[in-house]
Amino acid sequence: MATDPRAERSGRGRALLAGAAHLIWPALALALLLAFNAAFTPGFFHVEIRDGRLYGTLVDILNHGSRLGIVALGMTLVIATSGVDLSVGAVMAIAGAVAATMVVRDAASFPAVLAGALATGLAAGLWNGWLVSRLRIQPIVATLVLMVAGRGIAQLVTDGLIITTNDPRLAFIAGGSLLGLPLPVTLAAAALALLALATRKSSLGLFLEAVGDNETASRYAGLDARGVVLLAYAVAGVCAALAGLIEVSYIRAADANNAGLFVELDAILAVVIGGTALTGGRFYLVGSLLGALFIQTLTKTMYMKDVSADVASIPKAIVVILVCLLQSPVVRGRIAARRRPP
Amino acid sequence: MSLAPTRHLPILATAVVLALALTIGALRYEHFASWNVFRNLLVDNAFLGVAAVGATFVILSGGIDLSVGSVVAFTSILIASLVEHRGQHALVAIAVALAFGVGFGAAQGALIHAFRLPAFLVTLAGMFLVRGLGFVIHPQSLGIRDPFIAETLNESASFTLALGPRGIAIPLTVDIFLLAVATAAVVLNFTRFGRAVYAVGDDEHSALLMGLPVARTRVGVYAVAGLCSALAGVVFTLYQQSGDPASCKGFELDAIAAVVMGGTLLRGGVGSVLGSTLGVLLFGVIQMFITFEGTLSSWWTRIVVGAFVLVFLMIQRALLASTQRA
């Protein structure tokens, strides 16, 4: 986004406005999809209260979208540094495997299980970050290593079994509710608040954008670019582990082969829909969450329209291409040229 | 930047590792050093080999293709459906599948080039799209009973090599694999298109300044990759005698891993199709080791392959660092 002419003449107010302007697109897309459902999907907006908690399609979307949203939040920071993390799905599987194994085989205490799963994600993230920042391997390739090996590691942890658990404390993570909403929604909101606080109320966000815009320049400016990159991948790993915990809790089993399958693609898509460019630089955490909700709504719409889960990937592909085209510098250039005739 | 003195080191490393693995296997396991085992190594990895040829073109040009597995699955169900449900001749079905591969690959290349989109995102969308299309054609796996595919192609078209005491019949799938490798090696080394692939991968800007047809090369590379993926789908269909829209999930990673283990730089510009072939064989040998060991489960394959990819990345980094210092 270094070439964005707006950036040069924008004051603080304008920058804020530009940030809000970026949120308009994912919000508009989501609104359009919801409007479609309001018109064509009966019962889509039906929400009722049972046993003090909300039930309904919208609540479902929030619930499942939260899991993807948490992964997307971590991914946003990585993409802001102009990287990408392809291993988040595998990390979800490993963290889930660790959690289920600790609960079932070791009968570990609940805080230990939480700490174990999140520490697994942290270790995976630090590994990715080390490969990218110290060994200077391209992010796609560096995280590919863990993407390939990760599910094998997860199966190693579970001995190739699908470990089922009915532990009530573990089940509470996805099954519990707070203020009538499922607990994952609270977790996603908490993750957003934490990351927004850390990146916007300190200079960390600025550092991330600086490294993503021009790593060399940021290093010359005295920034610990490698440390910033390492941190971004570590956060992505922890976020993926949290999503892995939610997934284990939701299906009450650790499935090394299918947990978090293709989530890396959805997460990248969510970030891109949210307005963060894959070339790095400015990032939008709220946008990524909106993107995740959009994807989840799209998936849910497909299901409610009796489109099989397998065929549902076609509209998703079309969305990817459309979003890509809208983000493409070529298309943006043409639109801008039309808007501002020379 | 020239890597001439060290250019052949990664491929040598692959060859040495492969030779070592084969020797260790022969010493460690009974029956490992037999023609049948080697033949199975080729048969079981023929479709991976064909796909890796396509992946080599893309990676040499500095891109990446994530749609490989989906295209393989799609072509397999397309051929099965055309032959079994539409009563088409198998050769017609195969021709349609290959034409689809070329067209689809070229479309991806055109999007990547014309709109400067990241290759991994476009081919990711392609992966979703084609995976879904496969399920539209037929939602389940579909066995092929067509006699032409089941018998004619599988038996009469294979030729017998006068190697070993009795001679070994080499199945058509392996012929296709070896032919694809040979053709790709000639194209990459002796045609303008092939040399342009290296030039674009090494430095697109310089290639453009030298007057090379960058646009045509880029689109061509993805068309070749699409063709190879479809051809891998044909080989897969012959190998499985069925089509399955759900098959080959994550297969593109295997192809990319084989290419990396074969010493091709993921940065682009350096590598060879021969290296990728060695990488495919190394991939197959790792799987064979795990089978022969008996007590190890198949998930070890992924871990070992991941570790190998990492090791080869390290070697590449070290080589790059040494040439940059020089």
Side-chain angles (χ1 to χ4, degrees), chain B residues 71-164:
Chain B
V71 173
V72 169
F74 176 79
T75 37
S76 81
I77 193 63
L78 179 67
I79 293 172
S81 163
L82 281 177
V83 170
E84 294 293 315
H85 291 165
R86 300 283 158 93
Q88 296 290 339
H89 192 273
L91 288 179
V92 175
I94 288 174
V96 170
L98 293 182
F100 168 82
V102 174
F104 177 71
Q108 290 194 130
L111 272 179
I112 292 167
H113 186 82
F115 296 100
R116 311 241 147 250
L117 298 177
F120 90 94
L121 213 60
V122 170
T123 56
L124 194 66
M127 166 179 154
F128 279 139
L129 184 74
V130 177
R131 179 67 68 186
L133 287 179
F135 281 98
V136 171
I137 291 185
H138 193 77
Q140 287 112 29
S141 124
L142 179 62
I144 298 178
R145 282 183 208 82
D146 178 67
F148 188 78
I149 285 189
E151 287 152 30
T152 318
L153 280 184
N154 246 16
E155 286 159 22
S156 65
S158 61
F159 66 91
T160 308
L161 267 188
L163 285 171

Side-chain angles (χ1 to χ4, degrees), chain B residues 18-326:
Chain B
L18 183 62
L20 265 180
L22 287 172
T23 317
I24 293 171
L27 292 176
R28 195 174 155 94
Y29 309 110
E30 248 183 292
H31 310 303
F32 191 92
S34 70
W35 283 116
N36 270 337
V37 170
F38 190 67
R39 179 178 169 275
N40 282 348
L41 177 66
L42 288 176
V43 171
D44 293 341
N45 294 291
F47 70 105
L48 176 62
V50 176
V53 168
T56 310
F57 272 83
V58 174
I59 292 174
L60 277 178
S61 80
I64 200 153
D65 185 359
L66 298 178
S67 68
V68 179
S70 295
V71 173
V72 169
F74 176 79
T75 37
S76 81
I77 193 63
L78 179 67
I79 293 172
S81 163
L82 281 177
V83 170
E84 294 293 315
H85 291 165
R86 300 283 158 93
Q88 296 290 339
H89 192 273
L91 288 179
V92 175
I94 288 174
V96 170
L98 293 182
F100 168 82
V102 174
F104 177 71
Q108 290 194 130
L111 272 179
I112 292 167
H113 186 82
F115 296 100
R116 311 241 147 250
L117 298 177
F120 90 94
L121 213 60
V122 170
T123 56
L124 194 66
M127 166 179 154
F128 279 139
L129 184 74
V130 177
R131 179 67 68 186
L133 287 179
F135 281 98
V136 171
I137 291 185
H138 193 77
Q140 287 112 29
S141 124
L142 179 62
I144 298 178
R145 282 183 208 82
D146 178 67
F148 188 78
I149 285 189
E151 287 152 30
T152 318
L153 280 184
N154 246 16
E155 286 159 22
S156 65
S158 61
F159 66 91
T160 308
L161 267 188
L163 285 171
R166 280 165 295 163
I168 344 146
I170 299 192
L172 180 66
T173 52
V174 177
D175 298 340
I176 295 177
F177 168 32
L178 298 179
L179 201 65
V181 170
T183 313
V186 170
V187 168
L188 279 177
N189 286 304
F190 301 112
T191 65
R192 279 187 195 179
F193 172 68
R195 303 319 294 170
V197 170
Y198 279 97
V200 169
D202 202 25
D203 189 336
E204 184 186 335
H205 195 62
S206 305
L208 199 65
L209 291 179
M210 283 197 298
L212 290 175
V214 173
R216 217 182 335 150
T217 308
R218 169 128 331 124
V219 175
V221 157
Y222 284 93
V224 169
L227 174 66
C228 285
S229 299
L231 191 60
V234 172
V235 172
F236 179 74
T237 314
L238 294 177
Y239 174 64
Q240 298 271 339
Q241 297 289 315
S242 68
D244 184 359
S247 58
C248 294
K249 281 185 180 157
F251 179 64
E252 50 281 338
L253 296 181
D254 295 351
I256 294 168
V259 172
V260 173
M261 289 199 290
T264 297
L265 283 191
L266 273 153
R267 186 179 56 79
V270 180
S272 68
V273 75
L274 184 66
S276 302
T277 312
L278 292 180
V280 168
L281 293 182
L282 186 58
F283 192 98
V285 169
I286 292 169
Q287 271 179 325
M288 262 167 53
F289 260 81
I290 280 144
T291 318
F292 266 84
E293 194 58 45
T295 53
L296 290 176
S297 308
S298 58
W299 64 78
W300 274 102
T301 311
R302 305 237 111 198
I303 299 179
V304 176
V305 168
F308 266 103
V309 168
L310 186 66
V311 168
F312 277 93
L313 286 175
M314 302 264 199
I315 295 177
Q316 293 180 355
R317 278 243 60 88
L319 286 180
L320 271 181
S322 69
T323 45
Q324 272 164 353
R325 257 198 308 272

